[in-house]
Amino acid sequence: MPTNQINPNNNYREHLESNISNLNMEKIQNAITRDGTPDPDHDPTTDLTNLISLLKTIASIDINNIPSKTSKELRSRIHSAITTLTTPSSRKTTTNPTPPESYSQEISNQYNTLYRVAAPIIALEMQRSPNIESTQSKLENELVTVKKTRVECEQLADDLKKLSIDTVIARQSEHFANEAIEHKDSATKWLIGVAVAATIIAAIAWFASANTPAALVQGSMSLTIFAYAPRFLVLSVAFYALSLCARNYRTSRHNYIVNRHRSVALSTFGVFAASAANERVKDAILAQAASTIFSPQPSGYSVEQAEPLPQATAVELLQRISPK
């Protein structure tokens, strides 16, 4: 059948489903109640429920493959049953208080007649439909595949999380490495400054020792002190420069060692995290890495500067989280 052609069977099934859904069950129940039933042991609503269930079953199957004569008979029985259900009314009247057939009996007859015609058709179409067990097996396989995919997605999410942590720590390690290189270069420059200042002091000391005055300038102590004041000033500046260069050299060298240590510590984080036995150990290592990144460090500029509070080591963290 071409894709742009409407299947008449589908239209009929939709029409039947629409009629079933539009049934006024309250009116049908009232009509059954008014007429009553000649058999007190039989519940008339049972045939009503069975008739509606049978109609729904017919609407769910494909009747294209049945012979045309049988199809016409089936449609005729369906139309008759739908007409009975869509026009509920009591068969009792003032002129005929005891009709030969009540409304509930009419529903029972419609159900019995439709069942005889539809039962073989439904059984055949059910046999032609795909095997339920095969369909269930396919669904179970699909469910296993979905669960496997979910596990893989969760594993992928965990891997991405670990990768993001490793990336952040690697960037911090690179940052500390660059800081260490800068402080190392700065320490080298200050060391050259120390050498230059020491050379100037040595030159001034040699010049002063080689040109010692034999006597006071013009016999005056004040003139002699005034004459030697520039030498003392230059010598004082040279000593201050030597002290400044030495202090800055010590500071830069200290910061180089600290940042180098942090860089090496963070660069080995991935190795320790990958070899960790469980999540608790990984959390402890991550906590130590965070401590390495965020803990303050002494500048090293002042000898009397207070050291920061000691941070917990990875071993101490492991001992804290270990079960007692």
Side-chain angles (χ1 to χ4, degrees):
M1 180 181 294
T3 56
N4 58 351
Q5 183 176 351
I6 300 176
N7 189 341
N9 179 55
N10 292 336
N11 290 339
Y12 180 77
R13 291 164 64 181
E14 292 176 1
H15 177 69
L16 179 57
E17 290 174 352
S18 175
N19 287 332
I20 296 172
S21 62
N22 292 329
L23 292 176
N24 192 329
M25 299 303 298
E26 184 178 358
K27 288 185 177 181
I28 295 174
Q29 293 286 355
N30 291 336
I32 293 175
T33 303
R34 284 195 301 270
D35 277 3
T37 175
D39 186 1
D41 297 330
H42 178 69
D43 185 3
T45 58
T46 302
D47 289 335
L48 172 64
T49 304
N50 292 337
L51 178 59
I52 294 176
S53 176
L54 180 60
L55 290 171
K56 290 181 179 180
T57 303
I58 296 173
S60 65
I61 65 173
D62 184 8
I63 59 175
N64 281 330
N65 299 321
I66 64 177
S68 59
K69 183 178 180 180
T70 306
S71 177
K72 290 179 180 180
E73 183 181 3
L74 177 63
R75 291 172 186 254
S76 175
R77 297 301 180 185
I78 293 173
H79 177 72
S80 178
I82 290 294
T83 301
T84 300
L85 294 175
T86 54
T87 57
S89 62
S90 174
R91 301 301 185 255
K92 292 181 179 181
T93 61
T94 55
T95 58
N96 188 13
T98 56
E101 186 179 58
S102 64
Y103 183 63
S104 60
Q105 289 176 321
E106 185 177 345
I107 290 177
S108 298
N109 293 336
Q110 292 288 354
Y111 170 64
N112 293 331
T113 304
L114 181 62
Y115 183 85
R116 284 195 298 270
V117 176
I121 299 173
I122 294 175
L124 180 61
E125 291 303 318
M126 289 295 183
Q127 184 66 27
R128 289 176 177 175
S129 63
N131 193 335
I132 297 178
E133 294 181 356
S134 175
T135 304
Q136 183 177 3
S137 177
K138 291 180 180 179
L139 292 176
E140 290 177 353
N141 293 335
E142 291 294 332
L143 182 60
V144 171
T145 304
V146 170
K147 290 181 177 179
K148 182 179 179 181
T149 304
R150 178 182 177 183
V151 172
E152 292 176 352
C153 291
E154 291 177 350
Q155 183 64 35
L156 179 60
D158 292 338
D159 293 341
L160 290 175
K161 180 180 178 181
K162 294 175 184 177
L163 179 61
S164 63
I165 294 175
D166 292 342
T167 302
V168 170
I169 292 185
R171 289 180 179 177
Q172 292 298 326
S173 175
E174 183 180 355
H175 167 72
F176 286 123
N178 294 333
E179 288 288 327
I181 293 174
E182 291 180 4
H183 286 295
K184 183 179 180 181
D185 295 339
S186 179
T188 302
K189 294 177 182 178
W190 286 117
L191 183 60
I192 294 174
V194 170
V196 172
T199 302
I200 293 174
I201 292 173
I204 294 174
W206 174 82
F207 179 80
S209 62
N211 298 276
T212 56
L216 297 176
V217 177
Q218 298 179 4
S220 174
M221 178 60 72
S222 58
L223 292 177
T224 302
I225 294 175
F226 183 75
Y228 278 87
R231 298 183 183 183
F232 287 110
L233 179 61
V234 173
L235 189 62
S236 299
V237 172
F239 272 108
Y240 176 76
L242 177 63
S243 174
L244 180 64
C245 290
R247 181 180 297 178
N248 287 332
Y249 168 75
R250 183 179 64 247
T251 301
S252 297
R253 191 68 185 175
H254 167 80
N255 289 330
Y256 161 72
I257 294 172
V258 171
N259 285 284
R260 176 63 179 167
H261 168 72
R262 290 187 172 185
S263 175
V264 173
L266 293 177
S267 64
T268 58
F269 167 81
V271 178
F272 285 106
S275 60
N278 52 52
E279 293 297 328
R280 291 177 128 187
V281 178
K282 291 181 181 180
D283 291 341
I285 297 174
L286 181 59
Q288 183 63 18
S291 173
T292 301
I293 294 173
F294 296 109
S295 61
Q297 69 178 42
S299 64
Y301 195 77
S302 175
V303 179
E304 293 81 13
Q305 182 180 6
E307 292 290 332
L309 295 176
Q311 302 292 325
T313 63
V315 176
E316 293 172 345
L317 289 172
L318 289 175
Q319 289 175 349
R320 293 178 187 176
I321 66 175
S322 299
K324 302 297 183 184

